[in-house]
C-alpha cells in the first residue's frame, strides 16, 4: 500500500524545521540532506514507482557520501519493485547496493523507514539497516503475500507492520508508527540519540529526574523507568521477545542502551537482546543491563528452536562488546543467565538480590541432602535451608566478597550508583585482539 503522504510532508517531519537541501534530480528515488534532531543527516526517498539502475546508483552515492562525511542515512522505502525492462542490469545494481550497505554498516547509522511497499531486494536492504521503522499501513515482505497465498501458504496479516514486528523469525520492524509522518519523526529521534558515526561520542541532552525508584520485582520497563531520565526512552522491538525490554534512553543526559530482563528468557527474547547490544556496541553507545530473571526458559522445545544457540550468541555478544557496560543485579541472577548478562565492566548488586551458581532450593538439596532427608518435613526443611543459603551465600554482599559484583547499593539509590558507574567508565578505551572477526553463533 502506497503512503498517502507526499515527499514534502514526510521529509518535513524528518528534517528540523522542515528545511533540507535536495540532491540529484527527482525520480523514483531522490535524496536530500539537512539536520534531523540537531544531527546532520542524509535521506533517500522512494516515491512508489519502479526503481531503475540510475535510482539504485543514487542510493549507493548517498551511502558513500555519508560514510566519507560521517553522517547517518535514513532511507524511506516505498516502491513497487525494480524496472523489469532493465533486466539483469538492475539486479546487478541491487547487489552493489547491498554490498555498499554492508560496507558502511557500523561506520554510520542506517535507518530504514518503510512508508509503503517494501518487498524483495528492498526488504533485504531494509532488514540490513541498524533500525527499521514502519508505518502501520506499510507492507514489508520477501515473498508477496498474494503469491504465497496462491500456493496455499496463506497467513493472516502477512506483510503488515504488525507481522514484521512480531514474527518469531522476522522481528524486522523495531518501531511501528501510526503513519508515515510519525515514522519520520521516530527516525529523526533515533538519529538524534545515536552518534553520527563510529568515531564520535553519543550526544548529551537536557534531562529530568525519574519520578519513581527501583522496586523489587518490578516489570522490566518499570525497572528501566526508575533509572533513566524521565520520558527519555525510545523502545525497540516492543512486539517481539516480551520478557526483555530494549530501548535507547538517556541517563544523566547521556545516551545509553537499556536491556532489562524479566520472568524467563526464550530464544526470541535472547535474540532481541543480542541484536540490540550489538547495535549499541557498533557505535559505542554505553549499555545498562538490568538483571532480574528466572533464567533461560527450561524447555527442550525452546532448545530445539534455537535456545542454546541464541544463549551462546548472547554471551558472546556481551563478551565481545567493547562499549562501556554496567550490569545492575536487581533481582535474580542465577547460573547461565548471570554468565551471559553480567559480563560488564562494573556490576552493581542491589541489596536483596540473589546471585548464585544454582537455584538456592536445588543447591541445598545437594549440599544438605542428608540433613534434609532426616527431617520430619522435607519441604519445610528445604525451604528453610534455601532461605539461609540465600542470605549467607547469594546476597549482594556475598557477591561482592566473591568478586561476582563490584559494589552494592540500596534499591532507592540504584540510579545514583548507575550514574556514578557510567561516569567512571566515560573514558574507557578497549581494543580487540587482531583478527578478521569472531565466529559467534549467529
Amino acid at each position: 500500500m502506497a503512503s498517502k503522504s507526499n515527499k514534502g510532508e514526510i521529509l518535513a517531519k524528518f528534517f528540523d524545521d522542515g528545511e533540507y537541501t535536495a540532491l540529484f534530480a527527482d525520480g523514483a528515488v531522490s535524496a536530500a540532506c539537512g539536520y534531523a534532531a540537531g544531527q546532520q543527516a542524509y535521506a533517500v526517498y522512494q516515491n512508489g514507482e519502479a526503481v531503475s539502475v540510475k535510482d539504485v546508483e543514487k542510493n549507493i552515492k548517498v551511502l558513500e557520501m555519508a560514510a566519507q562525511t560521517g553522517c547517518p542515512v535514513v532511507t524511506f522505502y516505498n516502491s513497487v519493485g525494480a524496472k523489469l525492462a532493465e533486466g539483469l542490469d538492475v539486479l546487478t545494481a541491487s547487489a552493489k547496493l547491498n554490498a555498499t550497505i554492508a560496507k558502511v554498516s557500523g561506520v554510520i547509522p542506517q535507518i530504514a523507514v518503510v512508508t509503503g511497499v517494501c518487498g524483495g531486494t528492498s526488504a533485504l536492504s531494509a532488514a540490513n539497516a541498524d533500525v527499521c521503522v514502519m508505518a502501520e499501513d506499510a507492507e514489508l515482505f520477501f515473498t508477496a503475500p498474494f503469491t504465497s497465498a496462491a500456493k496455499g501458504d496463506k497467513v493472516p496479516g502477512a506483510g503488515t507492520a504488525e507481522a514484521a514486528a512480531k514474527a518469531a523469525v522476522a522481528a524486522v520492524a523495531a518501531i511501528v508508527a501510526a503513519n508515515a509522518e510519525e515514522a519520520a519523526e521516530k527516525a529523526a529521534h533515533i538519529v538524534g540519540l545515536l552518534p553520527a558515526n563510529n568515531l564520535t561520542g553519543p550526544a548529551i541532552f537536557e534531562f529530568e529526574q525519574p519520578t519513581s525508584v527501583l522496586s523489587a520485582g518490578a516489570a522490566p520497563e518499570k525497572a528501566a523507568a526508575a533509572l533513566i531520565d524521565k520520558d527519555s526512552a525510545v523502545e525497540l522491538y516492543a512486539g517481539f521477545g516480551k520478557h526483555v525490554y530494549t530501548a535507547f534512553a538517556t541517563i544523566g543526559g547521556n545516551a545509553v542502551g537499556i536491556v532489562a530482563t524479566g520472568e524467563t528468557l526464550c530464544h526470541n527474547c535472547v535474540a532481541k537482546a543480542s541484536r540490540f547490544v550489538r547495535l549499541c556496541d557498533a557505535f559505542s553507545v554505553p549499555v545498562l543491563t538490568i538483571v532480574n530473571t528466572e533464567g533461560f526458559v527450561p524447555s527442550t522445545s525452546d532448545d530445539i528452536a534455537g535456545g542454546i544457540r541464541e544463549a551462546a550468541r548472547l554471551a558472546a555478544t556481551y563478551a565481545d562488546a567493547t562499549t562501556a557496560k554496567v550490569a545492575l543485579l536487581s533481582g535474580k541472577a542465577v547460573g547461565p543467565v548471570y554468565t551471559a548478562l553480567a559480563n560488564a565492566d562494573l556490576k552493581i548488586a542491589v541489596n536483596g538480590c540473589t546471585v548464585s551458581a544454582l537455584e538456592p532450593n536445588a543447591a541445598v538439596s545437594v549440599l544438605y541432602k542428608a540433613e534434609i532427608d532426616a527431617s520430619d518435613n522435607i519441604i519445610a526443611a528445604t525451604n528453610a535451608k534455601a532461605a539461609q543459603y540465600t542470605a549467607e551465600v547469594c546476597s549482594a554482599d556475598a557477591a561482592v566478597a566473591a568478586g561476582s559484583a563490584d559494589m552494592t547499593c540500596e534499591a532507592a539509590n540504584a540510579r545514583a550508583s548507575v550514574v556514578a558507574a557510567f561516569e567512571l567508565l566515560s573514558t574507557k578505551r578497549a581494543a580487540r585482539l587482531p583478527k578478521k572477526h569472531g565466529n559467534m553463533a549467529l
Side-chain angles (χ1 to χ4, degrees):
M1 180 183 294
S3 169
K4 296 178 182 178
S5 306
N6 61 39
K7 173 184 172 181
E9 292 171 335
I10 293 173
L11 293 187
K13 290 292 185 180
F14 175 68
F15 287 111
D16 295 346
D17 300 322
E19 297 181 359
Y20 56 88
T21 300
L23 301 173
F24 315 134
D26 274 353
V29 171
S30 56
C33 64
Y35 286 85
Q39 187 95 274
Q40 189 171 354
Y42 289 89
V44 176
Y45 185 88
Q46 297 178 348
N47 70 357
E49 300 174 7
V51 174
S52 68
V53 172
K54 287 186 177 180
D55 292 319
V56 177
E57 289 174 345
K58 292 177 187 177
N59 204 332
I60 294 172
K61 176 68 173 176
V62 169
L63 287 168
E64 291 174 340
M65 289 170 58
Q68 291 168 358
T69 57
C71 297
V73 174
V74 175
T75 303
F76 293 88
Y77 288 92
N78 178 21
S79 171
V80 294
K83 280 191 175 180
L84 295 180
E86 297 192 0
L88 294 181
D89 288 339
V90 73
L91 184 66
T92 302
S94 296
K96 289 180 179 178
L97 172 60
N98 188 68
T100 305
I101 289 171
K103 184 172 73 172
V104 305
S105 177
V107 177
I108 54 170
Q110 299 180 66
I111 313 297
V113 183
V114 183
T115 62
V117 176
C118 181
T121 54
S122 288
L124 287 179
S125 299
N128 268 325
D130 296 304
V131 178
C132 178
V133 183
M134 280 189 73
E136 282 184 356
D137 59 351
E139 297 178 60
L140 175 67
F141 52 81
F142 195 56
T143 303
F146 62 84
T147 300
S148 182
K151 295 180 179 180
D153 183 21
K154 187 174 183 179
V155 179
T160 64
E162 182 180 14
K166 291 184 177 180
V169 179
V172 176
I175 298 173
V176 176
N179 50 51
E181 290 97 331
E182 183 180 305
E185 290 178 327
K186 296 283 188 182
H189 196 168
I190 294 293
V191 165
L193 286 170
L194 285 171
N197 55 68
N198 64 339
L199 297 179
T200 60
I204 299 176
F205 302 85
E206 294 182 357
F207 67 94
E208 294 182 38
Q209 296 285 340
T211 56
S212 60
V213 296
L214 186 66
S215 60
E221 61 273 18
K222 291 186 177 179
L227 301 169
I228 63 176
D229 299 337
K230 182 181 178 182
D231 299 329
S232 68
V234 178
E235 185 178 3
L236 272 62
Y237 304 109
F240 178 71
K242 294 287 191 176
H243 295 165
V244 169
Y245 174 83
T246 53
F248 285 120
T250 64
I251 294 179
N254 296 290
V256 298
I258 305 292
V259 178
T261 63
E263 299 188 33
T264 54
L265 309 182
C266 69
H267 65 283
N268 288 336
C269 296
V270 175
K272 171 180 175 176
S274 298
R275 167 70 178 137
F276 182 70
V277 171
R278 195 157 175 82
L279 167 59
C280 291
D281 187 50
F283 297 103
S284 298
V285 176
V287 175
L288 171 63
T289 306
I290 306 168
V291 186
N292 180 17
T293 175
E294 295 290 334
F296 298 114
V297 62
S299 164
T300 300
S301 297
D302 196 76
D303 289 350
I304 293 171
I308 297 173
R309 180 195 65 242
E310 293 299 343
R313 178 190 177 198
L314 179 69
T317 299
Y318 269 97
D320 187 57
T322 59
T323 192
K325 297 171 290 184
V326 173
L328 185 74
L329 310 178
S330 65
K332 280 192 174 183
V334 177
V337 157
Y338 171 90
T339 302
L341 295 173
N343 194 322
D345 302 298
L346 287 172
K347 297 179 279 289
I348 305 168
V350 179
N351 287 327
C353 72
T354 300
V355 182
S356 177
L358 188 66
E359 187 67 34
N361 277 57
V364 298
S365 295
V366 175
L367 294 172
Y368 305 101
K369 184 177 186 303
E371 181 180 341
I372 291 172
D373 288 347
S375 67
D376 295 331
N377 188 325
I378 291 178
I379 294 176
T382 301
N383 290 338
K385 274 294 181 182
Q388 180 183 352
Y389 181 83
T390 299
E392 294 175 356
V393 182
C394 309
S395 67
D397 288 333
V400 172
S404 299
D406 300 297
M407 63 186 83
T408 65
C409 74
E410 297 294 337
N413 297 324
R415 174 180 161 88
S417 297
V418 168
V419 170
F422 278 126
E423 286 179 353
L424 286 171
L425 296 171
S426 61
T427 55
K428 178 188 175 182
R429 297 291 182 271
R432 294 184 174 93
L433 292 172
K435 58 183 176 181
K436 185 174 182 181
H437 59 72
N439 193 28
M440 68 174 67
L442 297 176

